[in-house]
């Protein structure tokens, strides 16, 4: 059995959000992952973020590939649309769904094997095209589902559970996302919900390609001394550059931090991100500076977390392609067959 359904019964006094939904309305089936797996904490953070944003569950589409991480959409947002695709192919399925129906909020959940190994090309093209989505990689440095082989994000020199040293260079998905043009790039840690929940909320509200690399220790195969993706290692080497405290287009934002420590980032849809700076000289609007900061800190053995880059005025794939505003299934015959005069004009423009 791969899932266990939760009982519908819940305490009548559970807090409700603006839509009148409780936390339970955003949950899924009971998780069958290993107890303590980082992925379950990320599911919890996604549930919390959607509850806090009071999103109508039927407006969310969650898509994944194959892996323990890609199984997790079964464990959250049980009332939303879901598509568990093929290993490494989530980005193209998500791109197609997004092009067909731009009205939904797209949540792509993947693993480091699913994204950085078999799905690397798919990942790259979805980001460079600016698909409006939240793309979360639950990064544990191993293929958890197939018993702990090194993935492409495993650091060179890190050790497997049996002591084998990884001799390959690793892929830093955050560095790639920056290079590929993603307009929202963040890294977080499954063990830091205070940082992760607001990042997911901000990524959902970001009108463009939002990528979050979330270090998520695999307790079964990659949580030992010598691993650079273990709970202890990440806690010891985590360098947070900022914290997002609140952001919403619906409520007034009040800032209660000393001037100079909080930056309000306004996005073109009116949503606002409040960014509390921890590293005073860190600028999340400078793609090149973010890339070199990342490499510099990585060379010093640190794992940089927080919102590393945001382009508030970013467009998305629909903006670039100038597509119609309505989902394709809402188009009628008049829009789909505009007549021979329009066809003649298009043909003339191509001669
Ligand atoms: C085409 C294909 N190749 C290989 C596999 C075997 N396979 C299943 S999951 C997986 C790796 C999963 O690793 P990751 O994406 O990091 O997820 P995790 O289990 O670590 O969360 C592999 C290689 C597969 N299912 N399909
Ligand atoms: S094998 Fe690893 S990644 Fe998979 S459920 Fe267990 S702890 Fe999580
Ligand atoms: Mg993995």
């Amino acid at each position: 059995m791969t899932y266990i359904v939760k009982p519908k019964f819940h305490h009548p006094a559970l807090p409700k959000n603006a839509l009148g939904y409780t936390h339970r309305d955003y949950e899924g089936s009971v998780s069958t992952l290993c107890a303590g797996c980082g992925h379950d904490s990320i599911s919890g953070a996604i549930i919390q973020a959607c509850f806090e944003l009071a999103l109508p569950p039927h407006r969310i589409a969650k898509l994944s590939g194959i892996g323990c991480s890609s199984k997790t959409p079964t464990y959250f947002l049980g009332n939303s649309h879901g598509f568990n695709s093929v290993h490494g192919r989530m980005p193209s399925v998500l791109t197609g769904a997004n092009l067909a129906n731009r009205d939904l909020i797209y949540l792509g959940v993947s693993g480091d094997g699913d994204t950085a190994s078999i799905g690397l090309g798919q990942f790259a093209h979805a980001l460079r095209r600016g698909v409006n989505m939240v793309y979360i990689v639950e990064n544990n440095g191993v293929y958890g589902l197939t018993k702990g082989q090194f993935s492409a994000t495993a650091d060179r020199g890190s050790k497997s559970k049996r002591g084998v040293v990884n001799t390959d260079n690793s892929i830093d998905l955050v560095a790639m996302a920056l290079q590929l043009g993603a307009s929202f790039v963040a890294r977080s840690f499954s063990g830091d919900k205070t940082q992760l929940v607001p990042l997911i909320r901000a990524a959902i509200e970001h009108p463009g390609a939002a990528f979050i690399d979330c270090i998520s220790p695999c307790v079964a195969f990659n949580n030992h001394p010598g691993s650079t993706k273990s709970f202890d290692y990440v806690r010891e080497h985590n360098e947070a550059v900022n914290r997002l405290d609140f952001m919403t287009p619906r409520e007034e934002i009040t800032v209660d931090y000393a001037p100079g420590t909080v930056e309000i980032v306004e996005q073109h849809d009116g949503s606002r991100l409040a960014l509390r700076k921890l590293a005073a000289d860190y600028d999340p609007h400078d793609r090149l500076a973010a890339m070199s900061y990342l490499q510099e800190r990585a060379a010093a053995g640190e794992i940089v977390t927080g919102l590393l880059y945001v382009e508030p005025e970013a467009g998305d794939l629909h903006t670039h392609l100038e597509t119609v505003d309505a989902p394709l299934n809402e188009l009628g015959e008049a829009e789909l067959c505009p007549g021979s005069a329009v066809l003649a004009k298009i043909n003339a423009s191509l001669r």
Side-chain angles (χ1 to χ4, degrees):
M1 184 190 285
T2 54
Y3 68 91
I4 304 162
V5 179
K6 276 184 195 165
K8 290 233 183 308
F9 178 79
H10 62 73
H11 197 280
L14 277 186
K16 292 186 171 141
N17 63 16
L19 287 181
Y21 291 132
T22 68
H23 212 265
R24 285 296 298 273
D25 295 312
Y26 295 89
E27 292 178 0
S29 307
V30 176
S31 172
T32 58
L33 301 186
C34 306
C37 175
H39 299 352
D40 278 335
S41 309
I42 302 175
S43 297
I46 292 171
I47 291 167
Q48 184 66 23
C50 294
F51 169 77
E52 286 177 10
L53 285 173
L55 297 177
H58 68 275
R59 281 205 53 228
I60 309 169
K62 42 179 187 159
L63 295 97
S64 62
I66 298 291
C68 297
S69 34
S70 292
K71 280 171 69 179
T72 62
T74 307
Y75 314 134
F76 59 79
L77 297 174
N79 294 310
S80 299
H81 306 281
F83 196 99
N84 188 200
S85 74
V86 182
H87 198 22
R89 272 58 170 190
M90 175 275 286
S92 56
V93 179
L94 189 153
T95 304
N98 183 301
L99 279 172
N101 186 350
R102 61 190 296 170
D103 272 1
L104 298 180
I105 295 163
Y106 289 93
L107 183 56
V109 176
S110 182
D112 42 303
D114 198 61
T115 284
S117 298
I118 193 168
L120 193 61
Q122 297 245 335
F123 163 75
H125 293 294
L127 290 195
R128 90 184 168 82
R129 289 183 173 130
V131 180
N132 188 4
M133 63 182 170
V134 179
Y135 190 131
I136 300 179
V137 169
E138 305 190 345
N139 188 351
N140 53 20
V142 289
Y143 300 165
L145 190 71
T146 54
K147 304 256 180 282
Q149 303 86 348
F150 285 127
S151 80
T153 67
D155 289 305
R156 185 174 197 167
S158 63
K159 282 191 188 151
S160 74
K161 198 174 172 183
R162 290 174 184 265
V164 178
V165 176
N166 178 33
T167 52
D168 295 339
N169 288 322
S170 70
I171 289 176
D172 184 337
L173 291 170
V174 164
M176 280 195 79
L178 286 168
Q179 197 276 325
L180 289 161
S183 46
F184 179 108
V185 182
R187 177 178 280 138
S188 193
F189 172 42
S190 63
D192 187 355
K193 229 173 166 179
T194 320
Q195 183 190 54
L196 182 57
V197 173
L199 276 176
I200 296 173
R201 287 179 56 174
I204 290 174
E205 293 192 355
H206 179 73
F211 175 66
I212 304 177
D213 177 32
C214 191
I215 314 268
S216 176
C218 168
V219 290
F221 300 110
N222 207 12
N223 195 35
H224 46 267
S227 158
T228 54
K229 301 274 192 288
S230 66
F231 280 109
D232 286 347
Y233 188 92
V234 180
R235 278 193 196 110
E236 279 160 26
H237 297 82
N238 188 347
E239 201 212 38
V241 289
N242 50 39
R243 273 197 189 274
L244 279 170
D245 292 305
F246 35 67
M247 58 271 135
T248 164
R250 300 167 198 98
E251 297 154 24
E252 193 193 342
I253 292 176
T254 48
V255 178
D256 60 357
Y257 296 99
T261 62
V262 171
E263 185 182 345
I264 303 291
V265 180
E266 188 146 347
Q267 310 197 94
H268 75 69
D269 66 344
S271 60
R272 297 161 99 199
L273 320 180
L275 208 56
R276 183 154 57 96
K277 289 194 161 202
L278 297 182
D281 57 346
Y282 189 78
D283 178 6
H285 306 293
D286 186 337
R287 195 183 285 275
L288 281 181
M291 288 163 92
S292 47
Y293 188 82
L294 197 69
Q295 308 286 344
E296 196 186 286
R297 300 324 306 159
E302 285 168 4
I303 303 166
V304 178
T305 61
L307 177 58
L308 303 169
Y309 178 74
V310 65
E311 186 184 333
E313 297 298 321
D316 77 327
L317 183 58
H318 287 281
T319 332
H320 307 154
L321 295 179
E322 298 180 19
T323 55
V324 284
D325 290 338
L328 299 189
N329 66 358
E330 286 178 16
L331 299 182
E333 201 179 332
E335 291 97 348
L336 293 172
C337 305
S340 50
V342 176
L343 183 62
K345 204 171 155 196
I346 294 172
N347 284 342
S349 77
L350 297 172
R351 285 203 180 97

